[in-house]
Amino acid sequence: MSASTFKLTLHIWRQKQRGARGEMKQYELDGVSGDMSFLEMLDVLNEKLITEKHPDGPVAFDHDCREGICGMCGVVVNGEAHGPQAGTTCCQLHMRTFEHGEHELWIEPWRADAFPVLKDLIVDRTAFDRIIQAGGYVSVHTGSAPDGNAIPIGKNEAELSMDAAACIGCGACVAACPNASAMLFTSAKVAQLALLPQGQPERFTRVKKMVAQMEKEGFGYCTNHKECEAVCPKEISVQFITQLNRDLLRASVRRD
Amino acid sequence: MATTDTFRFTQSMVGKKAIMAVSGTVMFGWIFVHMIGNLQIYAGPQKINDYGKFLHDTPALLWGSRIVLLFAVLAHVFSALSLYGTARSARTEGYRKSNTRAATVASKSMRYGGIVLVAFIVYHLAQLTWGVKATLPQFVFGDVYCNVVHAFKIWWITAIYLVAQVFLFLHLYHGVWSVFQTLGVNSPRWDERFQLGAKGFAALVLVGNCSIPVAVLAGIVPSAGICS
Ligand code: HEM
Ligand code: FES
């Protein structure tokens, strides 16, 4: 346990509301403990801003589970989505990561026109929901619970599908992509179904619909930098992007 | 994008990127053959001038490849511009502080490197294909060998070619691997091999193409008594 604390200089994006002009504001924060999570550090800052009656008011940031599964908490820290630690959401990032390094942090919201800033560090990620909605239904038998092993699925396919399904839709892939592309997210959502027998009936119409929606939302295209994979807290592989490209090509030459 | 009922592959970003991959592959294939052709300069003036004559005597081959290449370049450049537009408008407000983890010098060079390549292609054609006198006063149609020698004896012309080749190297270093990703043929099993292959081919083109101006400038390609 690190009993010692340290001091941080924070530069945080402050923006009153959607469409308003924002700017980076500087705050000094003392008493940061390495055991705090990144979000707890922001909580401490907010407590200070409130008790000091700071004219800027507390910093608005998104969060929910604080255990790395809901995907709400993403912000960009020193130019890196979810901060410097690989495979980790902001809420799971501990301040000890910063204890011996830079004591000056730049904290910004996800930057993509498809993710408009609502306030300070909070962005509207409903574009992702619409991409998923565009995928439509999956033909499954309803009624009584299906037999456990009625549909045999290979271990590799099952594992791969689960890897894709690990996506929590946090938007870090878009934030980190130099083109603000949503290809990693969309491809994970396409692949998790395309890899399973249950996903086959609508497989090729689904990929077209989801890509069409992705483009309508105004995300950029993929230039294969692999920045998305490098920041993804669930370490989703760009191999799903390859699969999306393949499925979309196949879907376009099929008649259905 | 229109509705999904009328989903047009070539209108989508993924489709336009596929067009870049296919046209890029065509250009890459041609550049490789072009390099092999050029290396014949080491076999002396007769050999390479005969090769030039052979191409001009086979108009179907010459014009066939010129037309295919023209289409490839146009498709490549127009897709690049269109896609660049979508990327620009996808993030109109940038980060105050940005950092990259996985992107390489090569992957970041694709766009400005592409502009360098367009400029170089025009210069190169003007100098050694069209024979624009301002770019090479001693140009003589049909004398491939001496045209090349006269050009590369001038150090700054050699320098221009070397710089362009470095950009081509970067373009192919990222681009040739990227093709497999874009066309959906990559896989975790093959990824490393595709990457190695792309780097290897890029390096081969770099070394092969650069060797010629360097050899001319160093006097390894003989000119005394051949080119006046
Ligand atoms: C004529 C000028 C050129 C321009 C403006 C240009 C531009 C570009 C751009 C912007 C990209 C996309 C990069 C990305 O999305 O990451 C690209 C990709 C590519 N370029 Fe070019 N390029 C040019 C010439 C060439 C040449 C001469 C070759 C081949 C020898 C070539 C081969 C490729 C390949 C193979 C790709 C990869 C396509 C993919 O990502 O799937 N390009 N180019
Ligand atoms: S708050 Fe849920 S993932 Fe961070």
Side-chain angles (χ1 to χ4, degrees):
Chain A
M1 290 284 123
S2 56
S4 66
T5 60
F6 56 102
K7 193 173 170 256
L8 284 177
T9 301
L10 303 168
H11 304 267
I12 301 178
W13 182 259
R14 303 306 307 266
Q15 179 174 333
K16 286 214 156 50
Q17 62 193 39
R18 185 174 174 155
R21 274 180 70 89
E23 58 178 328
M24 298 298 283
K25 286 277 187 90
Q26 187 177 332
Y27 306 98
E28 306 295 328
L29 185 63
D30 211 348
V32 178
S33 148
D35 296 333
M36 288 176 182
S37 75
F38 187 84
L39 299 190
E40 282 165 341
M41 181 277 291
L42 289 179
D43 290 336
V44 173
L45 172 71
N46 278 345
E47 205 171 302
K48 182 177 146 181
L49 293 176
I50 292 167
T51 48
E52 282 177 1
K53 298 203 163 51
H54 195 290
D56 294 349
V59 178
F61 63 93
D62 231 339
H63 61 103
D64 189 1
C65 69
R66 296 208 177 197
E67 55 185 22
I69 56 172
C70 77
M72 295 296 284
C73 60
V75 294
V76 170
V77 186
N78 288 351
E80 292 181 291
H82 286 299
Q85 192 167 299
T88 310
T89 54
C90 277
C91 57
Q92 293 288 292
L93 177 68
H94 284 87
M95 292 314 292
R96 64 180 77 94
T97 315
F98 302 98
E99 193 163 357
H100 303 293
E102 281 259 19
H103 280 186
E104 196 161 8
L105 304 182
W106 275 260
I107 306 170
E108 300 177 68
W110 290 167
R111 293 283 185 205
D113 290 37
F115 286 165
V117 173
L118 297 177
K119 188 172 167 49
D120 298 339
L121 302 174
I122 299 178
V123 300
D124 177 358
R125 288 177 296 119
T126 47
F128 270 8
D129 300 337
R130 289 188 292 271
I131 293 175
I132 294 182
Q133 278 165 16
Y137 57 82
V138 176
S139 297
V140 289
H141 194 72
T142 55
S144 56
D147 255 6
N149 289 318
I151 305 173
I153 302 173
K155 178 168 166 57
N156 290 345
E157 288 72 36
E159 296 267 336
L160 207 54
S161 172
M162 280 307 291
D163 286 349
C167 170
I168 54 176
C170 67
C173 45
V174 173
C177 175
N179 307 304
S181 171
M183 283 285 273
L184 190 64
F185 167 80
T186 307
S187 70
K189 298 302 173 195
V190 165
Q192 67 185 18
L193 293 170
L195 285 161
L196 296 179
Q198 292 90 332
Q200 297 312 308
E202 297 86 15
R203 177 173 179 180
F204 293 103
T205 48
R206 185 187 305 113
V207 66
K208 286 197 274 191
K209 288 179 183 168
M210 292 178 77
V211 168
Q213 189 64 34
M214 172 185 86
E215 304 199 342
K216 211 157 105 190
E217 298 292 345
F219 292 106
Y221 76 113
C222 173
T223 56
N224 300 323
H225 287 294
K226 293 188 181 175
E227 283 299 318
C228 51
E229 179 184 270
V231 299
C232 176
K234 300 299 155 186
E235 302 180 315
I236 309 257
S237 159
V238 294
Q239 75 176 95
F240 298 120
I241 298 181
T242 325
Q243 167 152 8
L244 179 148
N245 290 339
R246 183 165 56 235
D247 275 14
L248 195 68
L249 256 170
R250 286 176 63 185
S252 306
V253 295
R254 280 164 63 101
R255 322 171 57 86
D256 46 16
Chain B
M1 271 309 311
T3 64
T4 50
D5 311 315
T6 58
F7 185 88
R8 296 268 308 281
F9 184 69
T10 50
Q11 294 297 308
S12 80
M13 300 189 291
V14 178
K16 284 178 188 159
K17 192 69 200 295
I19 292 172
M20 297 208 67
V22 172
S23 56
T25 305
V26 168
M27 288 190 281
F28 170 67
W30 182 81
I31 276 189
F32 203 74
V33 174
H34 183 51
M35 177 189 75
I36 308 248
N38 291 345
L39 288 174
Q40 297 178 64
I41 196 159
Y42 294 117
Q46 186 72 37
K47 183 89 181 158
I48 192 151
N49 288 351
D50 282 352
Y51 172 62
K53 189 167 175 334
F54 159 73
L55 290 179
H56 281 272
D57 289 346
T58 325
L61 182 66
L62 184 71
W63 283 99
S65 45
R66 279 179 175 173
I67 289 166
V68 169
L69 273 173
L70 184 65
F71 270 105
V73 170
L74 291 177
H76 200 76
V77 171
F78 281 106
S79 309
L81 288 173
S82 159
L83 288 171
Y84 175 56
T86 69
R88 274 282 300 255
S89 54
R91 181 175 290 132
T92 49
E93 170 110 46
Y95 292 104
R96 298 301 179 272
K97 202 162 174 78
S98 62
N99 198 0
T100 53
R101 278 188 199 167
T104 61
V105 174
S107 74
K108 290 183 203 172
S109 79
M110 296 305 274
R111 287 177 195 151
Y112 67 86
I115 295 169
V116 173
L117 290 177
V118 172
F120 172 72
I121 290 168
V122 172
Y123 175 70
H124 176 54
L125 286 174
Q127 187 170 53
L128 293 171
T129 302
W130 305 326
V132 176
K133 289 284 177 195
T135 55
L136 187 63
Q138 304 97 323
F139 185 88
V140 177
F141 272 100
D143 193 354
V144 179
Y145 187 88
C146 290
N147 290 342
V148 168
V149 167
H150 285 309
F152 294 150
K153 280 285 182 204
I154 300 165
W155 71 268
W156 56 265
I157 293 185
T158 288
I160 290 175
Y161 276 73
L162 296 187
V163 169
Q165 289 307 310
V166 170
F167 280 102
L168 181 61
F169 169 75
L170 292 174
H171 209 81
L172 295 179
Y173 183 100
H174 181 71
V176 173
W177 165 78
S178 184
V179 166
F180 295 99
Q181 192 70 16
T182 301
L183 297 182
V185 290
N186 201 4
S187 67
R189 244 186 90 198
W190 283 86
D191 187 56
E192 212 163 309
R193 275 171 269 188
F194 287 145
Q195 288 202 40
L196 262 174
K199 290 172 191 174
F201 271 112
L204 216 59
V205 170
L206 177 74
V207 172
N209 279 347
C210 286
S211 78
I212 298 168
V214 170
V216 170
L217 199 59
I220 297 168
V221 172
S223 64
I226 305 170
C227 306
S228 49

